[in-house]
Amino acid sequence: MQTLSSTLAAILLATVTATAFAEDKPAEPAKAEDPGIVAATSFAFAAVPGQCDERTADNAKKDEDSAYPLTWKDKYGDPPVEHKATLYEIYCYSGAYNTAFLYVLKDTENKLSLISFASPTFDIAYVSGDETETKLKRDPTVTGYAASFFLTNASFDEKTQTISEFAKWRGIGDAWSAGDWQLRDGQFVLTRYEIDPIYEANLDNPSQKLQDKSFQLFPPMKKK
């Protein structure tokens, strides 16, 4: 039996909060030199010391950073109170085929919070002796939930106010994990998490069915 899980923090939906000075109004699209992005980057890097690539003149990565205006209304109230904030997407580090990002939320009082993202931990059991890792004894099982500040190959959809990730388990991307977190009442809530633990590229002629096979871990799929 083989156990795989995402690299996650211990506290579900934890946030790190501090006060920082930035621009009064969010800009869209934000420029790399935007002081809000500079402040958010410094804040995020300080929260996870030593885990992000150092920003230098030769490795600025400014083009990887973005800022987006957010709005939402309370569920209750007559009329409901409208809230505004700025979401910062901050490049952290990259490897051979994956890039990690951090997300920072700034409220109207210029308070910055490092967002954490809930996702399931899981167990995968491959058939004993199957060196191709294409045969499963059973469907993957959820073993719990945890959270991480890091998302892999992430992007933000302004229309749906959803942050998504797609993490390759190796460079060719035949095995992977993916998730969506949507803004709800000022928090990014997990709405979908899916994995493909089958390394079909290890086979000479994998079937299309095997290539398309994946498992939705959240929300749990109803058994037929």
Side-chain angles (χ1 to χ4, degrees):
M1 181 176 295
Q2 180 174 348
T3 301
L4 298 177
S5 61
S6 305
T7 303
L8 303 163
I11 302 175
L12 184 63
L13 294 177
T15 56
V16 178
T17 306
T19 299
F21 294 98
E23 79 285 5
D24 293 333
K25 297 181 180 180
E28 177 53 28
K31 296 181 180 180
E33 296 79 10
D34 190 299
I37 289 183
V38 174
T41 301
S42 297
F43 172 77
F45 282 19
V48 289
Q51 298 189 56
C52 294
D53 291 343
E54 182 181 358
R55 297 291 179 94
T56 65
D58 296 330
N59 183 32
K61 293 292 182 181
K62 290 181 179 179
D63 58 332
E64 301 281 354
D65 303 327
S66 301
Y68 305 94
L70 300 179
T71 59
W72 69 91
K73 292 183 179 180
D74 290 336
K75 288 185 177 180
Y76 308 101
D78 187 17
V81 176
E82 183 176 79
H83 299 273
K84 295 183 179 181
T86 304
L87 176 70
Y88 293 102
E89 182 178 83
I90 306 299
Y91 167 86
C92 181
Y93 65 85
S94 60
Y97 45 86
N98 284 322
T99 300
F101 291 88
L102 298 169
Y103 285 85
V104 174
L105 191 68
K106 187 193 74 172
D107 64 17
T108 54
E109 297 179 351
N110 289 335
K111 183 178 292 184
L112 300 179
S113 298
L114 184 61
I115 303 172
S116 63
F117 299 90
S119 62
T121 58
F122 48 86
D123 179 80
I124 298 172
Y126 295 101
V127 171
S128 179
D130 174 30
E131 297 182 356
T132 65
E133 294 186 319
T134 58
K135 301 176 182 178
L136 302 178
K137 289 182 180 179
R138 51 169 171 75
D139 289 355
T141 56
V142 174
T143 59
Y145 286 83
S148 175
F149 296 127
F150 304 92
L151 289 185
T152 305
N153 302 328
S155 61
F156 178 65
D157 186 321
E158 296 178 77
K159 184 176 181 180
T160 62
Q161 294 195 312
T162 298
I163 299 173
S164 301
E165 79 162 353
F166 183 84
K168 298 178 181 180
W169 290 7
R170 65 178 178 180
I172 56 178
D174 55 338
W176 47 264
S177 55
D180 297 321
W181 294 261
Q182 186 175 48
L183 182 68
R184 296 180 179 175
D185 300 324
Q187 298 186 77
F188 281 93
V189 179
L190 178 68
T191 58
R192 180 189 68 93
Y193 199 86
E194 189 174 350
I195 66 171
D196 176 0
I198 300 171
Y199 294 84
E200 66 269 7
N202 289 337
L203 302 175
D204 292 333
N205 295 294
S207 67
Q208 190 62 48
K209 182 178 180 180
L210 192 64
Q211 295 179 56
D212 295 340
K213 184 69 174 178
S214 63
F215 300 87
Q216 183 173 300
L217 303 185
F218 185 88
M221 295 292 289
K222 294 183 180 179
K223 294 184 179 181
K224 297 181 181 180

